[in-house]
Amino acid sequence: MSQTVDRALSILPLLAEGPANLEQVSVRLGVHKSTALRLLRTLHEHGMVYRQADQRYRLGARLFALAQQAVENLDVREIAHPHLVELNENCGHTVHLAVHEENEVLYIDKVESRYPVRMYSRIGKPVATTVAAVAKLLLADLPEPERRALAEKLDYPRYTPRSTPDATAFLAELAKVREQGWATDLGGHEESINCVAAPIRGADGRVIAAMSVSAPNVVVTADELLTLLPLVRRTADAISREYSGNGPAKHPE
Amino acid sequence: MSQTVDRALSILPLLAEGPANLEQVSVRLGVHKSTALRLLRTLHEHGMVYRQADQRYRLGARLFALAQQAVENLDVREIAHPHLVELNENCGHTVHLAVHEENEVLYIDKVESRYPVRMYSRIGKPVATTVAAVAKLLLADLPEPERRALAEKLDYPRYTPRSTPDATAFLAELAKVREQGWATDLGGHEESINCVAAPIRGADGRVIAAMSVSAPNVVVTADELLTLLPLVRRTADAISREYSGNGPAKHPE
DNA sequence: ACGATCGTTGCAAATGTTGCAACACGACCT
DNA sequence: AGGTCGTGTTGCAACATTTGCAACGATCGT
């Protein structure tokens, strides 16, 4: 849309291949040397390119600084929220978002069910680590030794007959969850409540958060809830993509 | 030099602070909404910015990819990293690696302290040039006229009573550092934080990077930290040797 | 249903960008 | 030295690109 900016930005991937001098840049851009010079000067002033001792240009450190600052300010919650709302509008059930922090798993966002019968939970409150579907996903992604150490440190309360009984069972469950890429909690915490959950991954593929849909079985049976799995996974994937800055282009052309 | 590109690039640091909508961008740029829209579109086409579900803009994936390539070109980092880790394993404190570029000194790598009390710093962020130990080493190696010119252009913020007060004091400190081949920062930036640093040299003997060990004095006193100096210098020398292709033979023949 | 807020589009004016040609500088060769 | 090649740099005039405007649309909340 903007020719000048378009040309300037085209220089960056070109330099990413390796240092280049003015002539080479102008030729590959298809513009006059003087034009390339002025574009490079502007990029230089912004620290996006750097001029090395032999006068050739390479990518500058400011690029690195920007990226670093951006990831620090990234907030999963902010990005995920609209997606959670959309999912809730589609299925009507309670939607949760959780992260792993300091050996606890915490809900950091929630969209309430639109059915009259709701499950109890509170944002900011630690979840039942050994049974919650989101906890399984978050812990399943830990490095093996850490995962094992944590599993052995945990208590395994018998909330219901279907609760995870001990560390061995928990580790087996984590392995399964890690393999299949999603998790459930079928009455492990409250007899009558089921959840399905899917992981949200950062640009490097590591699980940074997990989301779930929960419903009491007076509203839908476990089987019915499971039919929502593809939708939940699609939503989680969309959040992952957006979080890593790879979402579908939304600009009308 | 190029107004259009200049404006477009100014959008990036602005978005690095966090997502912003069209209106906010146009106001902070001081241009009309339609102008900002077109610039953002162009950035968008190049993947430098991304539009999230709520229509606000943030930095895009291409920027991260470029940043990645930019640091890969800084190959000191690759070579140094294992040494930094080893040093951290030996002493437990925060270890930094920094380079000088375009009149700024930037951290390009960091290994976190294993003590609970940590100092704050960020990779990619410019350091406090007038007080940081690594900055002293990098600037001390500049040719005399450049060094003087730079020293006189700098601001000398009084972070603490022990901060470098003015250009004269700074140049004297640089001379000392150049002479002794190592540098310290004893509470010059944060009252309670001390650093010792050593230079990494290329094959021609010029300082190409600097590394430091930092610790708050609630963990170790300045005197105790100074006992680490020989270790820091040995590590820096090892990196220098490896960088200039003189490292310890990895495949003894 | 209405007003408010924010994003989007077409257009005409003019500002900013472009390519040119000439110059500057250094390296290299005869 | 002088000359030539290869590059980077600058001033300028022509004009293409960008700009701000104003009007339109979409969405939201009361």
Side-chain angles (χ1 to χ4, degrees):
Chain A
M1 283 279 145
S2 166
Q3 187 185 73
T4 319
V5 177
D6 185 46
R7 287 173 170 172
L9 293 179
S10 303
I11 293 178
L12 298 176
L14 194 153
L15 290 184
E17 296 168 20
N21 63 20
L22 178 60
E23 177 93 13
Q24 298 168 314
V25 170
S26 73
V27 169
R28 290 202 48 187
L29 269 191
V31 299
H32 197 267
K33 282 189 305 180
S34 58
T35 307
L37 176 67
R38 284 178 288 238
L39 295 177
L40 280 164
R41 283 230 181 108
T42 312
L43 289 168
H44 180 91
E45 276 173 17
H46 284 260
M48 307 292 283
V49 307
Y50 172 63
R51 198 153 194 200
Q52 34 185 49
D54 62 358
Q55 296 237 304
R56 293 190 305 166
Y57 295 90
R58 13 162 295 238
L59 294 183
R62 177 61 51 82
L63 273 172
F64 186 49
L66 280 175
Q68 196 67 28
Q69 189 185 342
V71 291
E72 267 191 28
N73 292 338
L74 263 194
D75 186 0
V76 210
R77 195 183 128 158
E78 222 184 317
I79 291 171
H81 193 76
H83 296 273
L84 305 185
V85 170
E86 193 191 334
L87 179 56
N88 168 268
E89 278 163 5
N90 283 334
C91 71
H93 303 301
T94 301
V95 180
H96 277 116
L97 180 70
V99 295
H100 171 70
E101 208 168 81
E102 305 280 328
N103 290 343
E104 278 182 346
V105 174
L106 309 160
Y107 288 130
I108 58 170
D109 200 8
K110 174 184 185 181
V111 184
E112 281 285 1
S113 166
R114 290 178 294 134
Y115 291 95
V117 184
R118 294 179 184 176
M119 69 173 282
Y120 174 77
S121 76
R122 202 174 64 205
I123 296 181
K125 198 181 148 194
V127 314
T129 316
T130 59
V131 294
V134 287
K136 294 175 188 171
L137 285 162
L138 289 163
L139 301 187
D141 190 59
L142 291 178
E144 208 280 323
E146 242 182 278
R147 203 187 329 158
R148 173 174 305 274
L150 180 57
E152 270 154 20
K153 248 186 3 204
L154 287 174
D155 285 334
Y156 291 85
R158 306 300 298 260
Y159 306 106
T160 77
R162 313 184 70 172
S163 297
T164 310
D166 54 38
T168 311
F170 191 49
L171 285 169
E173 172 77 359
L174 292 189
K176 189 184 105 192
V177 162
R178 186 185 171 86
E179 189 59 33
Q180 68 192 6
W182 50 274
T184 60
D185 163 24
L186 303 175
H189 186 48
E190 305 265 357
E191 189 67 68
S192 63
I193 299 213
N194 302 311
C195 309
V196 296
I200 292 161
R201 299 173 188 275
D204 55 0
R206 302 241 2 215
V207 175
I208 54 160
M211 58 175 295
S212 68
V213 170
S214 315
N217 55 25
V218 296
V219 176
V220 289
T221 66
D223 282 348
E224 283 163 352
L225 190 62
L226 278 173
T227 63
L228 290 175
L229 179 59
L231 181 57
V232 176
R233 296 186 77 181
R234 270 204 305 280
T235 305
D237 290 347
I239 298 170
S240 301
R241 273 195 303 278
E242 191 167 326
Y243 184 83
S244 13
N246 272 326
K250 281 269 176 81
H251 262 304
E253 317 282 311
Chain B
M1 287 284 145
S2 164
Q3 188 185 74
T4 319
V5 177
D6 184 47
R7 286 174 171 173
L9 294 180
S10 302
I11 292 178
L12 299 177
L14 195 152
L15 290 184
E17 294 169 21
N21 64 21
L22 178 61
E23 177 96 13
Q24 298 169 315
V25 170
S26 73
V27 169
R28 290 202 47 187
L29 270 190
V31 299
H32 197 268
K33 282 187 306 179
S34 58
T35 306
L37 176 66
R38 284 178 288 240
L39 295 177
L40 281 164
R41 283 227 179 112
T42 312
L43 289 168
H44 181 90
E45 276 172 17
H46 284 260
M48 304 293 284
V49 307
Y50 167 65
R51 199 155 196 203
Q52 34 182 56
D54 62 0
Q55 297 239 306
R56 293 189 304 165
Y57 294 90
R58 8 170 304 237
L59 296 184
R62 173 63 55 82
L63 188 77
F64 296 96
L66 285 172
Q68 192 60 35
Q69 301 203 45
V71 286
E72 274 167 20
N73 291 346
L74 300 176
D75 56 357
V76 208
R77 185 170 181 263
E78 259 175 89
I79 292 172
H81 192 78
H83 297 273
L84 306 185
V85 170
E86 192 192 333
L87 178 55
N88 168 268
E89 277 163 6
N90 282 335
C91 72
H93 303 299
T94 302
V95 180
H96 278 114
L97 180 70
V99 295
H100 170 69
E101 188 175 308
E102 301 285 323
N103 291 342
E104 279 182 346
V105 174
L106 310 156
Y107 289 130
I108 58 170
D109 201 5
K110 173 184 185 179
V111 183
E112 280 285 0
S113 167
R114 289 179 295 134
Y115 291 95
V117 185
R118 294 178 185 176
M119 70 173 283
Y120 175 76
S121 74
R122 201 171 65 203
I123 298 182
K125 197 182 150 195
V127 316
T129 316
T130 59
V131 295
V134 287
K136 292 174 187 170
L137 285 163
L138 289 162
L139 301 187
D141 190 60
L142 290 177
E144 207 281 323
E146 241 183 279
R147 202 188 328 156
R148 175 173 302 273
L150 179 57
E152 270 155 21
K153 249 189 359 209
L154 288 173
D155 284 334
Y156 292 84
R158 305 299 299 258
Y159 306 105
T160 78
R162 312 184 73 171
S163 298
T164 311
D166 53 39
T168 311
F170 191 49
L171 285 168
E173 173 76 0
L174 292 189
K176 190 184 103 193
V177 163
R178 186 186 172 87
E179 189 59 33
Q180 69 192 6
W182 50 274
T184 60
D185 162 24
L186 303 176
H189 186 47
E190 303 266 355
E191 189 69 64
S192 63
I193 300 215
N194 303 310
C195 310
V196 296
I200 292 161
R201 299 172 189 277
D204 55 359
R206 301 238 6 210
V207 175
I208 55 158
M211 57 174 297
S212 68
V213 170
S214 315
N217 56 23
V218 295
V219 176
V220 291
T221 66
D223 282 347
E224 284 164 353
L225 190 63
L226 277 173
T227 64
L228 290 176
L229 180 59
L231 181 57
V232 176
R233 295 185 78 178
R234 271 204 305 280
T235 306
D237 290 346
I239 297 170
S240 301
R241 273 195 304 279
E242 190 168 331
Y243 183 81
S244 5
N246 286 325
K250 290 241 171 112
H251 300 287
E253 326 270 309

